[in-house]
Amino acid sequence: MVDEIHPEGNLFINIVFNTDQQESILSKDELSTSQIQFAKLKRWQWWFLVALNIIFLLVGQAAAVILGRFYYDQGGNSKWMATFVQTAAFPLLLIPLFLVPSSKYPSTSSTAPSIKVLASIYFFLGVVIAGDNMLYSVGLLYLSASTYSLICATQLAFNAVFSYFINSQKFTALILNSVVVLSLSAALIAVNDDSDGPTGVKKSKYIIGFIGTLAASALYSLLLSLMQLTFQKVLKRETFSVVLEMQICTSLVATCASLIGLFASGEWRTLHGEMQGFGKGGFAYVMTLVWTAVAWQVCSVGVVGLIFVVSSLFSNVISTLSLAITPIASVIVFHDKMNGVKIVAMLMAIWGFASYIYQNYLDDSKARRTRSSTLTESLNDSLC
């Protein structure tokens, strides 16, 4: 996602990128209509699209986390409502889905997956996403936004581990370094006696928030690997429309699951009181929830847009950058305490990011050389 610091922020970055490291799903002459159109853009138009998607990703992700923390700070206390808004604005994704033409090429599989199989996969993934979002909501309830963001960085380490076991991704020295450094960074946050939570949060609640966020990061990384496996083994293709369709369908299921949780838990009964007692007023309460939902989907559009306008590697780099921006934004907005341990943890996280991204760069360069060599051989064979 993620990942991105959140599953709805960068859910498909590593899915698309890791698939590039393996055998290509599409044959070399099966370019999507959208990719061909992007190639025909003028230079200034291309740069405009790149800049627009970067803004969508960075602003969307940082705003969503900050608004989520603001909801709790001003008196919001419904974990299921905080979970619901993370996917509720998924209909916004229909806009880029209809604006960007779909690929004209069918799946490379001789037999397309049945509706029943797709529905089962999307239902399972959607329910898991809802559970993952719930864990993130618990974490943000009991942690400061900056601490929450730093713990979320461990998703890259978890992703490397799950990709090794599920997707057969190689475990290189750089990836191992990333896993170790990010794990140590999270451990520093865990043992830091001066780690700050929101006002009034007890140490026991802080531990629950830490464990919840760590578990959410692990579950999110597992989702990435399972979705990558779905693209490789079931869908057999990865185009702009197919990726968005999966995100829309799983978000629909996750939203419905969150609504069921909201009513089953009885938290819906407290929503009117929450709105009346919200620190900035009832209108601000509604606007906070609405714009939190919108921010997550704006981030999603930026993630997918960068993948297909530039590359999955570039989208991963920008999402990684947002992991560093969010704690800084949290310090500015909420005046979170950044003691020495948290600063060291953030620097270690950046070190882990750099190792991870550099390994991705090496893999991407190798994949490009392989594709170029294959294309050259194909052209030579056709000329003979």
Side-chain angles (χ1 to χ4, degrees):
M1 101 280 205
V2 321
D3 210 0
E4 337 117 207
I5 58 178
H6 187 274
E8 290 304 310
N10 54 6
L11 190 57
F12 297 100
I13 299 172
N14 291 310
I15 297 171
V16 177
F17 181 81
N18 289 337
T19 303
D20 290 342
Q21 295 176 17
Q22 322 243 342
E23 185 177 356
S24 178
I25 290 177
L26 297 177
S27 61
K28 58 181 174 294
D29 57 343
E30 288 179 321
L31 292 174
S32 68
T33 305
S34 58
Q35 288 172 319
I36 294 173
Q37 281 199 336
F38 292 143
K40 292 180 179 179
L41 291 175
K42 293 181 180 179
R43 188 171 182 82
W44 72 268
Q45 292 174 322
W46 183 85
W47 276 110
F48 175 78
L49 279 179
V50 171
L52 187 64
N53 282 296
I54 289 175
I55 292 171
F56 281 168
L57 197 163
L58 294 180
V59 174
Q61 188 160 276
V65 173
I66 289 173
L67 285 172
R69 183 61 255 167
F70 179 78
Y71 164 74
Y72 288 133
D73 281 350
Q74 295 300 314
N77 199 45
S78 173
K79 295 183 286 294
W80 279 112
M81 175 56 72
T83 301
F84 170 75
V85 298
Q86 291 177 37
T87 53
F90 71 88
L92 291 176
L93 297 178
L94 293 172
I95 298 174
L97 181 64
F98 290 135
L99 288 179
V100 179
S102 300
S103 172
K104 298 179 181 179
Y105 297 96
S107 168
T108 56
S109 175
S110 57
T111 304
S114 66
I115 298 297
K116 184 178 180 180
V117 170
L118 284 179
S120 300
I121 292 173
Y122 289 161
F123 177 80
F124 171 75
L125 293 176
V127 171
V128 175
I129 287 172
D132 191 44
N133 289 347
M134 180 58 172
L135 288 171
Y136 276 113
S137 297
V138 171
L140 193 55
L141 173 62
Y142 297 132
L143 300 175
S144 66
S146 58
T147 302
Y148 166 86
S149 301
L150 288 172
I151 297 172
C152 284
T154 58
Q155 67 192 37
L156 287 179
F158 286 119
N159 183 63
V161 174
F162 285 125
S163 294
Y164 174 79
F165 287 106
I166 297 177
N167 309 114
S168 302
Q169 182 178 334
K170 294 180 180 179
F171 218 69
T172 65
L174 285 171
I175 292 296
L176 179 61
N177 175 74
S178 176
V179 170
V180 172
V181 172
L182 288 170
S183 300
L184 290 175
S185 174
L188 277 177
I189 296 295
V191 301
N192 181 23
D193 291 335
D194 294 328
S195 290
D196 58 315
T199 304
V201 173
K202 298 179 181 179
K203 186 67 176 179
S204 59
K205 297 294 186 182
Y206 173 87
I207 294 174
I208 292 174
F210 177 88
I211 294 174
T213 306
L214 196 65
S217 298
L219 184 57
Y220 162 62
S221 299
L222 177 60
L223 271 167
L224 287 178
S225 293
L226 292 176
M227 285 184 166
Q228 181 186 333
L229 198 63
T230 301
F231 279 116
Q232 291 175 322
K233 304 298 184 182
V234 181
L235 298 176
K236 303 292 186 180
R237 58 178 178 151
E238 273 180 291
T239 63
F240 187 85
S241 60
V242 169
V243 172
L244 273 182
E245 284 167 9
M246 173 179 268
Q247 189 166 8
I248 290 169
C249 292
T250 54
S251 294
L252 171 62
V253 175
T255 301
C256 292
S258 301
L259 272 179
I260 293 172
L262 180 64
F263 284 94
S265 66
E267 286 188 359
W268 66 275
R269 298 188 182 92
T270 68
L271 296 182
H272 181 71
E274 268 190 13
M275 185 171 66
Q276 295 299 320
F278 199 66
K280 298 296 183 179
F283 180 75
Y285 175 83
V286 174
M287 288 296 98
T288 299
L289 295 176
V290 168
W291 286 109
T292 301
V294 171
W296 280 125
Q297 300 311 313
V298 167
C299 176
S300 296
V301 171
V303 167
V304 179
L306 285 178
I307 288 172
F308 288 93
V309 176
V310 188
S311 70
S312 52
L313 174 63
F314 187 76
S315 187
N316 209 355
V317 170
I318 299 302
S319 292
T320 299
L321 176 63
S322 70
L323 288 170
I325 290 177
T326 303
I328 296 172
S330 302
V331 171
I332 296 173
V333 175
F334 298 115
H335 306 292
D336 287 353
K337 182 171 61 177
M338 284 292 285
N339 56 33
V341 174
K342 286 177 70 174
I343 292 174
V344 171
M346 187 168 69
L347 292 176
M348 291 181 69
I350 293 173
W351 178 12
F353 298 153
S355 298
Y356 188 87
I357 293 300
Y358 184 62
Q359 182 61 59
N360 285 351
Y361 169 76
L362 294 177
D363 291 337
D364 185 62
S365 298
K366 182 179 179 180
R368 288 176 184 274
R369 287 195 301 269
T370 302
R371 286 195 295 268
S372 177
S373 176
T374 303
L375 181 59
T376 301
E377 291 176 3
S378 178
L379 289 173
N380 290 336
D381 292 340
S382 64
L383 292 174
C384 293

